[in-house]
Amino acid sequence: MDFSLNEEQMAIRQTCRDFAEQEIKPIAEHIDATGTFPYDLVRQMGELGLLGLPFPEEYGGAGADFLSYCLAIEEISRGDVSVGITMEAHTSLGATPFFLFGSQEQKEHYLRPLARGEQLWAFGLTEPEAGSDSGGTQTRAVLKDGSWHINGAKTFITNAGTDMTGGVTITAITGKTAAGRNAISNIIVPKGTPGYVIGNSYKKMGWKASDTRPLSFEDCQVPAENILGQPGDGFKQFLRILDAGRVAIAALSVGLAQACLDEALSYAQQRKQFGQSISKFQAIQFKLADMDMEIELARLMYYKAAWLHMQGKPYTREASMAKLFASETAKRAADQAVQIHGGYGFMDEYPVSRYWRSVKINEIGEGTSEVQRMLIAKQLGC
Ligand SMILES: Cc1cc2nc3c(=O)[nH]c(=O)nc-3n(C[C@H](O)[C@H](O)[C@H](O)COP(=O)(O)OP(=O)(O)OC[C@H]3O[C@@H](n4cnc5c(N)ncnc54)[C@H](O)[C@@H]3O)c2cc1C
């Protein structure tokens, strides 16, 4: 067993760590407080190749492996999770479906500008009435006269409405399976298509500098070729997309948890009470030690899931475990980081206050903690 990272993985991690330290952290409080989407940062990340890390160079990507991509997500999220989720949703949810299931023309046309970071792309699975029950999609696409006619709505869609967004891939019912169930397909809808309405950005508790919107489709028409794979492939496709996405979300959670530990440790070493640094009190040391231990465990869990994925081995169980444990670890870390800061932790000028608000969504997005436990139990044979 070899736990060491190779040179390329270490170089990508270092590049992202430096970028987060120098470019992201200095503006993180401002973009959160004002809910500003950080276009300059995202464009810089595109130029550095960070928006196409796991895709081959022939499609404009950086040709890095999946673990390198996750390491990058961890470091960017350590700088700021709004930026981390923008990168993750673009790569794992927006671009990956084109890479995995797109035709050669679709890869050339859609994946290339995404991998180069010239455009962002969104993936619309969740609907007002279909969240955890993602197979309960109600949006419909009917093929008529060479076009898909789409009607329905999506909710909470990341990256859907930025100036850089090229479009969204949505799940829609396109017919019936042989067993009489709804057949779901993934349909590509470019921004600006008539009938495709992008709603206003939500006001959120955290991830405030990321773009999240409701979408609606009213007789929205796209050409028949705007489908990924074959009609009815959509359900299988998004299960695969979500497996890999969960490993990246685990990395995002580890980055946020690490940021909590960084701030808590630094504060504990500076803050004096009873004539000494509070880091000298065993009660504070034990909190820091537990944070460090849990973060290390969560990190090893996402490394293992990423490694299994790269070996082409099954990793659904490990992806769910990594996502579940890392998001709950991050929540505990954020809570303890605020506790270690005392009253100052409740003040907005301390980053831990922002971390505490943003951490909750990690237990909800890309499958709630309950859904992860259901998936793990299913693997046990329940
Ligand atoms: C900021 C943000 C960004 C997002 N980005 C995207 C995106 O880019 N694309 C996208 O498609 N979606 C996105 N989502 C949606 C997200 O994936 C869903 O919110 C999530 O899957 C949960 O769905 P829901 O909100 O409808 O909750 P529900 O499914 O209604 O769940 C409500 C509660 O019931 C529980 N529950 C549901 N079913 C069961 C069950 N069988 N057993 C036990 N408990 C159950 C849930 O765990 C949860 O606690 C985003 C959400 C947010 C908030």
Side-chain angles (χ1 to χ4, degrees):
M1 216 180 258
D2 180 2
F3 286 93
S4 54
L5 301 177
N6 66 32
E7 280 189 16
E8 191 189 353
Q9 290 161 344
M10 284 192 287
I12 289 174
R13 185 176 63 175
Q14 193 60 48
T15 301
C16 293
R17 189 171 290 175
D18 294 344
F19 185 79
E21 204 56 45
Q22 290 157 20
E23 308 293 336
I24 301 179
K25 276 177 84 171
I27 63 161
E29 185 193 341
H30 173 73
I31 59 175
D32 179 79
T34 54
T36 308
F37 186 82
Y39 285 104
D40 288 347
L41 272 184
V42 174
R43 290 207 173 92
Q44 271 178 275
M45 287 165 68
E47 282 158 19
L48 283 170
L50 299 182
L51 297 183
L53 273 176
F55 308 116
E57 290 173 17
E58 61 173 306
Y59 298 119
D65 62 21
F66 184 72
L67 179 58
S68 299
Y69 161 60
C70 292
L71 294 167
I73 291 284
E74 179 186 335
E75 294 301 330
I76 296 295
S77 305
R78 188 174 173 181
D80 183 60
V81 272
S82 283
V83 182
I85 190 60
T86 299
M87 175 176 167
E88 192 277 341
H90 163 77
T91 313
S92 291
L93 305 182
T96 297
F98 291 115
F99 176 57
L100 290 180
F101 314 115
S103 64
Q104 189 57 31
E105 295 81 59
Q106 287 168 340
K107 287 191 175 80
E108 290 292 340
H109 185 73
Y110 296 107
L111 179 58
R112 190 179 290 281
L114 302 183
R116 284 190 184 149
E118 294 159 4
Q119 274 189 351
L120 295 175
W121 202 271
F123 189 76
L125 175 66
T126 307
E127 301 189 358
E129 305 302 327
S132 302
D133 181 13
S134 46
T137 297
Q138 294 180 0
T139 297
R140 285 186 181 273
V142 177
L143 193 57
K144 253 192 314 201
D145 305 326
S147 299
W148 293 107
H149 293 237
I150 309 166
N151 284 285
K154 298 287 171 182
T155 194
F156 309 142
I157 308 305
T158 305
N159 287 339
T162 77
D163 297 348
M164 295 174 68
T165 301
V168 62
T169 305
I170 57 158
T171 51
I173 301 169
T174 50
K176 288 276 177 202
T177 64
R181 294 206 195 94
N182 284 332
I184 294 175
S185 306
N186 285 319
I187 309 281
I188 303 162
V189 186
K191 200 163 100 178
T193 306
Y196 169 31
V197 180
I198 302 172
N200 292 333
S201 215
Y202 293 100
K203 301 264 176 275
K204 305 189 291 283
M205 173 169 144
W207 286 3
K208 284 172 179 275
S210 71
D211 181 81
T212 323
R213 297 181 188 247
L215 312 176
S216 64
F217 304 87
E218 289 156 29
D219 198 32
C220 167
Q221 296 176 35
V222 296
E225 64 264 24
N226 280 25
I227 185 169
L228 287 179
Q230 298 302 313
D233 284 353
F235 193 74
K236 277 187 307 202
Q237 291 176 346
F238 75 68
L239 292 183
R240 268 184 75 187
I241 295 163
L242 288 178
D243 271 352
R246 281 168 187 154
V247 185
I249 291 289
L252 179 144
S253 291
V254 170
L256 178 52
Q258 185 65 52
C260 293
L261 176 56
D262 297 343
E263 292 297 325
L265 176 61
S266 151
Y267 184 83
Q269 286 168 336
Q270 288 162 29
R271 174 70 174 168
K272 288 199 168 57
Q273 287 294 283
F274 300 97
Q276 57 182 331
S277 300
I278 61 169
S279 65
K280 297 296 170 207
F281 302 134
Q282 200 177 50
I284 300 289
Q285 290 172 357
F286 282 9
K287 289 185 199 300
L288 293 166
D290 283 349
M291 285 160 83
D292 194 27
M293 173 186 69
E294 288 197 22
I295 292 167
E296 188 61 14
L297 275 174
R299 186 176 284 124
L300 289 175
M301 289 174 83
Y302 94 67
Y303 280 16
K304 182 180 174 191
W307 179 83
L308 287 168
H309 179 33
M310 282 157 44
Q311 305 303 309
K313 294 180 194 281
Y315 69 105
T316 297
R317 168 178 172 267
E318 288 76 8
S320 281
M321 286 180 169
K323 198 267 180 186
L324 174 61
F325 187 72
S327 56
E328 295 191 349
T329 291
K331 187 174 73 173
R332 286 188 288 272
D335 201 52
Q336 295 294 34
V338 171
Q339 193 67 20
I340 289 170
H341 278 67
Y344 295 97
F346 200 64
M347 301 297 134
D348 274 349
E349 66 256 44
Y350 284 82
V352 291
S353 147
R354 184 171 76 247
Y355 300 162
W356 195 88
R357 279 188 286 103
S358 272
V359 79
K360 183 63 200 167
I361 181 59
N362 295 18
E363 292 178 289
I364 297 171
E366 292 193 39
T368 62
S369 290
E370 290 78 9
V371 165
Q372 304 313 321
R373 288 189 166 87
M374 280 157 56
L375 291 169
I376 296 164
K378 194 170 166 204
Q379 298 284 322
L380 283 172
C382 296

